[in-house]
Amino acid sequence: MTNNHDMELKDLETFVTVVKCGSITCAADVLHVTQPGVSRRIDRLENALGCTLFERVGNHLLLTKEGKTLLPHAETVLGSVRDLRAAVDAEKGGWTTACIAMSATLAETPFTDRLKELRDRFPALRQLHIKMVGSAEVSELVAAGEADVGFRFFRDKDERLEYVPLGEEPLVVIRAAHSRWFPGEDGGGEPLAPLCLNDIPWIAFPARKGPSSHITAMLDQWIEETGIRPGLRIDADCLAAQQKLVQADFGIALQPASSVQEAVERGKLRLVPLPAFRLTLPICAVYRKTAPHRDMLQNVIRLFQKQPE
């Protein structure tokens, strides 16, 4: 059933935003419109389609059957519009608006320094949107056309996307600068046997899906292979929180080397010297196979392939 009401792009954008936010209030904040304005757009879209898209259950909005059917089509339409604009920009010889999705974990490393060079490489760029999300959401945003290019740890199996390896980030074990767990080791230079870590608490990401769970899985596998008897496990779901807990000497943690470099140089943290220790996180760039401005995206990716100076 269809009605004569016009369907507008901003109504589709609002619909997708409400789905992702889970509430009218949050969507209004993201879209910078009033809550009644968001509700009007949803009402207009429902009138245009002749169906109800959301069901309210308590304080939550759930998609109806029709809403679930609409969602992938709305994302495709919005992605195509973004592609159209990007293609026109490319034909005019410039890239005026860009959106980059980046793993929040990766964003806490010097990898983000490359963002500073984008303006020099693309002088026509006037707006740069950077979305810090989980690695899984990086792929989702790129696949939906909501981001031009993404940077994440590991790769997934989405066949709509092209993946470009960018290298590997070494992982290191960190401890407090003056730690009760390492008496007499404040010099921090002599290699330690892995079993010296017996009974020391580990501060780690909670077990869940996503790249942070890969770090936890790699840690658990290494502990099992070396025969370490781990102490208490303390969950902390971001690198910064883990570092704070390590600095306070709650225990030790496994982290990307570049994310702790500054704290180590300032003497706030120390590396635990472990012989033959090599765990790494693969970093990759991702963009849509059907993107109309592939050459431009590949130039962006090449910028991030440069080795840090």
Side-chain angles (χ1 to χ4, degrees):
M1 175 181 176
T2 59
N3 292 329
N4 294 326
H5 299 278
D6 291 332
M7 186 185 306
E8 299 186 18
L9 282 175
K10 63 183 178 182
D11 298 341
L12 288 176
E13 179 187 20
T14 301
F15 166 72
V16 171
T17 304
V18 171
V19 172
K20 295 192 173 186
C21 290
S23 73
I24 298 290
T25 303
C26 178
D29 290 339
V30 170
L31 295 169
H32 304 292
V33 298
T34 64
Q35 293 181 39
V38 171
S39 297
R40 282 194 297 270
R41 292 181 184 182
I42 296 300
D43 289 343
R44 185 165 56 207
L45 184 59
E46 289 180 332
N47 287 333
L49 295 172
C51 63
T52 300
L53 299 173
F54 291 101
E55 176 186 3
R56 182 174 292 278
V57 178
N59 294 325
H60 301 284
L61 288 176
L62 302 180
L63 283 173
T64 62
K65 179 181 178 181
E66 292 80 4
K68 292 177 181 178
T69 299
L70 173 63
L71 181 59
H73 296 288
E75 291 176 330
T76 298
V77 169
L78 294 173
S80 296
V81 171
R82 185 176 181 84
D83 285 348
L84 182 153
R85 290 171 176 161
V88 172
D89 281 346
E91 285 299 318
K92 292 190 296 186
W95 194 26
T96 59
T97 302
C99 182
I100 294 176
M102 182 175 292
S103 164
T105 303
L106 183 58
E108 295 181 61
T109 75
F111 186 81
T112 51
D113 291 344
R114 294 289 172 229
L115 294 172
K116 301 174 184 177
E117 302 180 37
L118 280 178
R119 280 295 300 272
D120 294 335
R121 183 69 66 88
F122 301 97
L125 193 60
R126 293 292 177 266
Q127 286 186 314
L128 176 61
H129 305 285
I130 301 173
K131 298 185 178 182
M132 302 298 190
V133 294
S135 280
E137 194 174 354
V138 168
S139 293
E140 292 172 3
L141 290 171
V142 175
E146 295 182 42
D148 299 292
V149 63
F151 299 96
R152 57 168 291 167
F153 290 115
F154 299 93
R155 59 169 295 167
D156 58 28
K157 299 179 180 179
D158 195 324
E159 296 183 354
R160 297 171 295 177
L161 303 176
E162 196 77 52
Y163 293 87
V164 181
L166 297 180
E168 295 183 335
E169 171 73 18
L171 293 170
V172 294
V173 179
I174 57 173
R175 67 173 178 89
H178 305 286
S179 176
R180 62 194 169 107
W181 307 107
F182 298 87
E185 294 290 339
D186 283 348
E190 293 298 322
L192 299 176
L195 293 182
C196 290
L197 306 183
N198 278 349
D199 301 320
I200 299 178
W202 283 91
I203 301 162
F205 289 104
R208 61 187 179 195
K209 294 183 178 180
S212 60
S213 70
H214 287 297
I215 298 178
T216 301
M218 293 165 71
L219 171 62
D220 289 340
Q221 182 177 351
W222 180 74
I223 287 175
E224 182 177 354
E225 290 175 352
T226 54
I228 294 172
R229 185 175 63 249
L232 176 70
R233 178 69 65 91
I234 302 173
D235 288 344
D237 59 5
C238 73
L239 295 178
Q242 291 180 13
Q243 289 184 27
K244 290 293 185 183
L245 290 170
V246 172
Q247 288 179 31
D249 206 23
F250 279 87
I252 56 180
L254 182 68
Q255 293 215 337
S258 58
S259 70
V260 301
Q261 180 178 345
E262 182 177 353
V264 171
E265 291 175 350
R266 292 185 176 183
K268 295 181 177 180
L269 295 170
R270 290 193 186 277
L271 302 183
V272 178
L274 297 166
F277 179 84
R278 177 167 170 76
L279 295 177
T280 61
L281 292 173
I283 303 171
C284 65
V286 56
Y287 63 95
R288 279 191 301 148
K289 293 178 179 178
T290 58
H293 47 306
R294 291 166 57 96
D295 291 344
M296 208 175 313
L297 296 178
Q298 288 165 357
N299 285 334
V300 173
I301 291 169
R302 278 193 284 272
L303 178 65
F304 283 84
Q305 285 177 315
K306 291 172 54 179
Q307 293 298 316
E309 299 176 355

